[in-house]
Amino acid sequence: MWPLYAAGFTTAFGAHGIAANLGGFSEDAVTSLLVLGGLLALYDGAEVLLKPLFGTLADRIGAKPVLLGGLVAFAAASALYVIADSPGWVWAARLGQGAAASAFSPSASALVSRLNPAAKQGRAFGSYGFYKSIGYTLGPLLGGVLVWAGDLRLLFAVLALLGAAVAVWAAVAVPRVPPLPKRRQTVLDLARRLADPAFLAPTAALAGATAALSVGVGFLPVSGAAAGLGTVATGAAVSVLAACAAFVQPTAGRALDGGRLTVRSGLIAGLLITAVGLAAAMLPGVLGVLTAAALIGVGTGLITPLGFAALAASTPPERLGQTMGSAELGRELGDAGGPLLVAGVATLATLTYGFAALALLLAAGPLLAFAASRRRAPVEEDSTAR
């Protein structure tokens, strides 16, 4: 399992480590905010397009070859910029990293499920999410240190070595998990499976959690600056969010495996806690920023392992890669949609209303589920009486 945790750390560290430091990159390469936005979007854009495809490939030929190929490609894409030493090549390197992560990220998730029994799925995904969150937390910090100590090439060089080392480790330590025989699947079969509530509900919760996480990382520093906080204080607030998300995930996974928590109650609680955290961001001053960071972290940390464990439990083992890739696509859409929603509302009104809009959207799911359960209860009681 450890190489799989390292793979999760690698994609998170690579995504945030470089993204957080592109703004201070050479003016010859980043000539405007539009160019910066394009560089930031390349990684996520590649993931949105390719994750379902690589997930399906993992089901067809086995998850381990796709995992190893993705890690090797990630190392090669990172090394490309180190060798080329030209600002223009950062575009190609960033696109290559995103495409490579599209291969090894859903493959790692599928292997996490295949290598653990059903009774330990929650704990396994909780641990995987923990190390991925550590990558998100340390990426901007360690990336900044590396860029300060050398330049962006040094950061890319470290990522190349990291990808290569994890590939070798996974090749040696991760057992081969052969693809399972499966019946032929039509496009209509795939559409039915992806439209099933067993897939849609956890994926929607994961997308909502990722949207809130992205908004917290991106917009809480803006609120902190408006309250007079310095960059160190706002950075600490974001670290609180990431740390809470990291440490809650293993606990939530163990509670699910131990029967102390159900998927439905955990996802509802996580969405409501996250919505309350976004509402807390509307409060002025440092209290609002820190409360929002802690609650968003706890809520998203509760949702993530439960969502993936639910997807693994409801998916035929031979289709795990495809399901994980499609679910990751939902997360990427949330990652992009959350900030767009908040920014759009903030442009028309203020950032406070932007936080409120996303909070209401996340709270709507649990409230609708509660209303539906209340409507079903009288019907069930009536049928029992008959």
Side-chain angles (χ1 to χ4, degrees), residues 22-23 25-37 39 87 91:
L22 281 174
F25 186 37
S26 166
E27 293 182 359
D28 295 335
V30 182
T31 56
S32 67
L33 289 176
L34 182 61
V35 171
L36 176 60
L39 283 169
W91 289 85

Side-chain angles (χ1 to χ4, degrees), residues 110-206:
L111 284 167
V112 167
S113 180
R114 288 286 304 276
L115 294 175
N116 286 276
K120 294 185 177 180
Q121 293 283 305
R123 185 174 303 182
F125 279 109
S127 298
Y128 179 73
F130 170 81
Y131 289 103
K132 203 166 184 177
S133 295
I134 293 297
Y136 286 131
T137 305
L138 295 182
L141 175 62
L142 294 183
V145 171
L146 290 170
V147 172
W148 171 80
D151 55 16
L152 199 65
R153 288 180 66 208
L154 178 59
L155 176 55
F156 271 94
V158 170
L159 289 173
L161 293 174
L162 178 62
V166 176
V168 172
W169 190 10
V172 173
V174 176
R176 180 179 177 272
V177 181
L180 297 172
K182 48 186 173 289
R183 67 179 181 86
R184 183 175 175 273
Q185 176 183 254
T186 65
V187 174
L188 185 59
D189 292 331
L190 175 61
R192 284 198 192 101
R193 192 157 57 82
L194 298 185
D196 193 300
F199 173 83
L200 285 179
T203 302
L206 288 168

Side-chain angles (χ1 to χ4, degrees), residues 49-69:
L49 293 173
L50 298 176
K51 274 185 174 180
L53 298 177
F54 280 118
T56 302
L57 180 64
D59 290 333
R60 181 170 298 175
I61 67 172
K64 184 176 179 179
V66 180
L67 172 78
L68 297 180

